[in-house]
Amino acid sequence: MASEELVTLERLQAARKVVQQNPLFVRTPMLCHMQEHFRSMINPSTDVYLKLENTQITGSFKSRGVVNQFANIPDDVRSGEKMIVTCSAGNYGKSFSCMTKQLGLKALVVMPETAPVNRKQIIESNGATVELTPTSNIQATVERHVKDGMHLLHSYDDVHLIAGHGSLGLEILEDVPDPDIVLVCCGGGGVLSGVAAAIRLSGHTACKIYGVEPEGAPTMYESFKAGNAVAIPTVKSIAAGLAPPSAGKLTYKHCKSFVDNIILVTDEEIIKATSALYHAGFVVEPSGAAAFAALLARKIPDDITQKKVVVVLTGGNVTPQELCNLIKD
């Protein structure tokens, strides 16, 4: 498939089979009628469903796309002839390094200097090499390694990755066959692209699908305004996993085709959502709580009375100390 093409339902279904067969993946729970657990924060007439991707083996949805990416790597990479390089702030790198360990492949992960130390340590514990660089220099660093002969696996702008993430959308429809609104966190746009494509291509044209980004890293939001994928030189958010320096060209095309709009939330709203989830018994990292923040902050532009709203909690890779630093009460 050419990189500029959109995924098809057939490709999504094929990718799902690949993902299901890998031990790095588990089917995560969908919790129903969760408005009862947040009575003081959510209108009780809204039927809220939480998809718990924070319970994946690697702690986030990333394993879905990564498994399908590795199922489609070239022979010279699979044989170990060429080393693999990628870039990640943490969660993608964790799933990526788990797969390279599973397949016995050498790999390099380029990470921003601001990445949490424990994320770096986890990736290295799986046998991958980590190179730290300023966020503004990540793309140039990766391009240099590719020029030197490494094979790039992109952390979000990759059609095989998007197809793997589509398995999440197909699961949502099996658990909630008639959703009115689906909220998905958006960083580079890979999981949003896959989920939205799966829902739309399955015939759900009336369902509203929104990506949720931090105000300090509105790359897809600005891309929608500009009419093409854009880069933002300086991005900053408590949700580091949702703060890539640019939107992907391929993910932008998918989002523009299948997503209704992008909602922005503040860091304060993300922290409040992370805290609310924690006090309800859910360990969710800030990047994984952004979609829930949009619901709590009443940022959804539709009337959600008597509506079924699905919120994807995308990750739970957060340490106790990090949670303590965020949650003061």
Side-chain angles (χ1 to χ4, degrees), residues 182-261:
V182 176
L183 301 175
V184 186
C185 303
C186 180
V191 68
L192 176 59
S193 294
V195 169
I199 293 172
R200 292 283 185 251
L201 295 174
S202 295
H204 293 262
T205 56
C207 175
K208 295 285 188 177
I209 304 172
Y210 295 107
V212 183
E213 284 187 316
E215 283 189 356
T219 50
M220 192 62 73
Y221 176 85
E222 292 297 336
S223 296
F224 268 45
K225 287 171 60 178
N228 57 270
V230 303
I232 298 178
T234 304
V235 290
K236 185 177 181 180
S237 173
I238 191 71
L242 302 181
S246 63
K249 293 180 180 179
L250 187 57
T251 55
Y252 166 74
K253 187 171 183 179
H254 278 78
C255 288
K256 198 63 178 175
S257 298
F258 302 125
V259 175
D260 288 282
N261 216 332

Side-chain angles (χ1 to χ4, degrees), residues 246-281:
S246 63
K249 293 180 180 179
L250 187 57
T251 55
Y252 166 74
K253 187 171 183 179
H254 278 78
C255 288
K256 198 63 178 175
S257 298
F258 302 125
V259 175
D260 288 282
N261 216 332
I262 306 297
I263 297 170
L264 298 182
V265 291
T266 66
D267 276 6
E268 182 180 349
E269 289 164 346
I270 291 173
I271 292 171
K272 182 178 179 180
T274 303
S275 177
L277 288 165
Y278 174 76
H279 288 297

Side-chain angles (χ1 to χ4, degrees), residues 48-261:
V48 176
Y49 297 76
L50 299 181
K51 179 64 169 170
L52 306 186
E53 284 297 284
N54 58 314
T55 63
Q56 281 290 349
I57 291 173
T58 60
S60 81
F61 70 91
K62 297 285 188 178
S63 55
R64 295 176 181 270
V66 169
V67 165
N68 198 51
Q69 267 188 315
F70 275 85
N72 289 278
I73 56 176
D75 291 340
D76 58 351
V77 176
R78 188 174 300 278
S79 67
E81 182 181 339
K82 293 184 72 173
M83 190 171 176
I84 312 171
V85 63
T86 192
C87 59
S88 170
N91 281 349
Y92 176 85
K94 182 178 181 180
S95 293
F96 171 90
S97 64
C98 284
M99 277 303 300
T100 58
K101 181 179 181 180
Q102 186 183 112
L103 298 175
L105 300 174
K106 292 183 178 181
L108 172 66
V109 180
V110 179
M111 300 185 72
E113 292 176 333
T114 54
V117 174
N118 72 304
R119 309 291 198 277
K120 174 179 178 290
Q121 292 171 338
I122 289 171
I123 291 170
E124 289 176 329
S125 72
N126 285 323
T129 301
V130 171
E131 180 177 345
L132 298 177
T133 189
T135 300
S136 60
N137 195 45
I138 288 177
Q139 184 173 345
T141 302
V142 171
E143 289 175 352
R144 171 169 53 82
H145 287 302
V146 172
K147 187 176 180 180
D148 290 340
M150 292 189 184
H151 180 78
L152 172 64
L153 284 185
H154 203 287
S155 57
Y156 53 88
D157 207 32
D158 180 285
V159 71
H160 298 301
L161 185 90
I162 291 171
H165 289 328
S167 62
L168 174 54
L170 296 175
E171 284 181 24
I172 288 173
L173 293 179
E174 289 176 351
D175 293 333
V176 188
D178 54 346
D180 295 300
I181 297 170
V182 176
L183 301 175
V184 186
C185 303
C186 180
V191 68
L192 176 59
S193 294
V195 169
I199 293 172
R200 292 283 185 251
L201 295 174
S202 295
H204 293 262
T205 56
C207 175
K208 295 285 188 177
I209 304 172
Y210 295 107
V212 183
E213 284 187 316
E215 283 189 356
T219 50
M220 192 62 73
Y221 176 85
E222 292 297 336
S223 296
F224 268 45
K225 287 171 60 178
N228 57 270
V230 303
I232 298 178
T234 304
V235 290
K236 185 177 181 180
S237 173
I238 191 71
L242 302 181
S246 63
K249 293 180 180 179
L250 187 57
T251 55
Y252 166 74
K253 187 171 183 179
H254 278 78
C255 288
K256 198 63 178 175
S257 298
F258 302 125
V259 175
D260 288 282
N261 216 332

Side-chain angles (χ1 to χ4, degrees), residues 14-71:
R16 185 186 185 186
K17 292 180 181 179
V18 171
V19 172
Q20 287 176 322
Q21 293 169 359
N22 194 285
L24 201 61
F25 161 84
V26 295
R27 177 166 181 149
T28 56
M30 174 75 80
L31 301 187
C32 307
H33 317 309
M34 293 303 294
Q35 68 277 7
E36 296 296 327
H37 293 265
F38 303 93
R39 291 190 174 207
S40 64
M41 302 177 182
I42 298 173
N43 187 329
S45 67
T46 302
D47 197 6
V48 176
Y49 297 76
L50 299 181
K51 179 64 169 170
L52 306 186
E53 284 297 284
N54 58 314
T55 63
Q56 281 290 349
I57 291 173
T58 60
S60 81
F61 70 91
K62 297 285 188 178
S63 55
R64 295 176 181 270
V66 169
V67 165
N68 198 51
Q69 267 188 315
F70 275 85

